[in-house]
């Protein structure tokens, strides 16, 4: 069964408060999402494997640990997932980046796929699928279906804010995918928005309406 991790680090929670606030403008919103993505990436990479190598310090020869070359991939769900990519790449700059384009039909709330481009060696990579919002869960479930249909096996999902409904839907559809979130909110409203949430993540990131 999928595990759900809520990152309650004070820095993440502080920045998330300003991300939520209506009066936070596009520039600051973008910067804060980027910063929170970096902080979450720090936590999510905690289990990366290490190996020991021999190095020379100015004082002596010693053994020390480095990452053991695991192949990583980041998959933002377009559009809003793009806002989290650079923040993650600051910590894992060699990761490959794939894209899955989905939008949520405003009437049915069902995801509609319009673009998929993944690294060629999908089967060998460990992926982090990212999107700021997990609302009904439809987009995340569909993006991960799409990735698995193309050979993706080792997948984590990371978002800023999740609704309980989205967490349940994702756990049920993909019990092998652990979920990493900065905040678990109360519920969805009648329009499928997360309450209290932050509004429309894509519009706030890109300054559209
Ligand atoms: C938002 C958000 C998620 C999706 C979450 O994207 O970025 O992808 O909604 O909702 P769900 O869990 O109910 O599927 P949106 O469809 O608004 O597209 P955009 O990123 O292009 O604005
Ligand atoms: N997508 C968003 O951008 N915000 C929500 O609250 C729900 C879905």
């Amino acid at each position: 069964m999928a595990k759900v991790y809520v990152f309650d680090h004070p820095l993440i929670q502080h920045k998330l408060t300003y991300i939520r606030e209506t009066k936070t403008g596009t520039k600051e919103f973008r910067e804060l999402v980027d910063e929170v993505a970096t902080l979450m990436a720090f936590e999510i990479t905690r289990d990366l494997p290490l190996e020991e190598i021999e190095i020379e310090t100015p004082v002596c020869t010693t053994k020390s640990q480095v990452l053991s070359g695991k192949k990583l991939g980041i998959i933002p769900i377009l559009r809003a997932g793009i806002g989290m990519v650079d923040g993650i790449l600051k910590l894992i700059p060699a990761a490959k980046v794939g894209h899955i384009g989905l939008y949520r039909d405003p009437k049915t709330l069902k995801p509609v796929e319009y673009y998929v481009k993944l690294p060629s060696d999908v089967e060998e990579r460990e992926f982090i699928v990212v999107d700021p919002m997990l609302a009904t869960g439809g987009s995340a479930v569909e993006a991960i279906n799409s990735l698995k249909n193309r050979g993706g096996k080792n997948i984590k999902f990371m978002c800023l804010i999740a609704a309980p409904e989205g967490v349940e839907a994702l756990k049920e559809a993909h019990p092998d995918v652990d979920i990493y979130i900065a905040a678990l909110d109360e519920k969805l409203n009648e329009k499928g928005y997360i309450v209290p949430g932050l509004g429309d993540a894509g519009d706030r990131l890109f300054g559209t309406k």
Side-chain angles (χ1 to χ4, degrees):
M1 189 33 106
K3 294 196 192 72
V4 180
Y5 300 91
V6 181
F7 292 147
D8 58 358
H9 192 289
L11 287 176
I12 294 177
Q13 294 308 315
H14 173 86
K15 289 173 193 296
L16 193 57
T17 298
Y18 293 101
I19 288 174
R20 289 181 187 276
E21 267 208 304
T22 309
K23 68 182 181 196
T24 301
T26 305
K27 173 180 178 289
E28 200 188 347
F29 186 91
R30 247 181 231 148
E31 288 167 357
L32 287 164
V33 169
D34 180 79
E35 288 169 15
V36 170
T38 305
L39 293 167
M40 292 185 80
F42 182 72
E43 295 281 359
I44 209 172
T45 49
R46 199 172 271 285
D47 62 353
L48 284 181
L50 292 167
E51 64 186 354
E52 207 165 60
I53 59 165
E54 198 169 86
I55 56 164
E56 294 283 332
T57 77
V59 180
C60 67
T61 300
T62 187
K63 292 205 166 115
S64 196
Q65 296 197 314
V66 292
L67 293 173
S68 79
K70 190 157 202 149
K71 290 182 158 189
L72 296 174
I74 304 164
I75 314 267
I77 301 178
L78 307 181
R79 285 177 301 171
I82 291 174
M84 299 174 74
V85 173
D86 284 350
I88 302 171
L89 286 175
K90 278 182 195 134
L91 295 191
I92 40 175
K96 296 260 167 77
V97 181
H99 295 86
I100 297 182
L102 293 173
Y103 69 86
R104 199 170 72 146
D105 183 289
K107 289 216 177 71
T108 64
L109 300 183
K110 297 276 178 249
V112 182
E113 187 176 279
Y114 59 88
Y115 184 77
V116 180
K117 185 79 183 172
L118 302 176
S120 53
D121 52 356
V122 173
E123 293 182 8
E124 295 161 35
R125 287 192 179 265
E126 182 173 309
F127 286 102
I128 308 172
V129 175
V130 298
D131 191 322
M133 310 304 277
L134 180 65
T136 63
S139 303
V141 167
E142 195 49 41
I144 293 168
N145 282 340
S146 201
L147 179 54
K148 285 184 174 174
N149 287 340
R150 290 166 174 82
K153 292 188 197 90
N154 204 336
I155 303 168
K156 294 174 172 169
F157 179 79
M158 171 171 138
C159 70
L160 299 187
I161 300 179
E165 295 88 333
V167 171
E168 284 314 307
L170 186 50
K171 276 167 71 176
E172 188 171 334
H174 296 292
D176 56 317
V177 174
D178 288 344
I179 305 169
Y180 299 79
I181 62 190
L184 180 61
D185 275 12
E186 203 183 307
K187 60 178 182 183
L188 293 177
N189 69 14
E190 65 291 346
K191 290 186 177 148
Y193 276 85
I194 300 177
V195 180
L198 55 72
D200 187 303
D203 283 346
R204 295 198 62 191
L205 263 171
F206 296 108
T208 50
K209 254 258 177 275

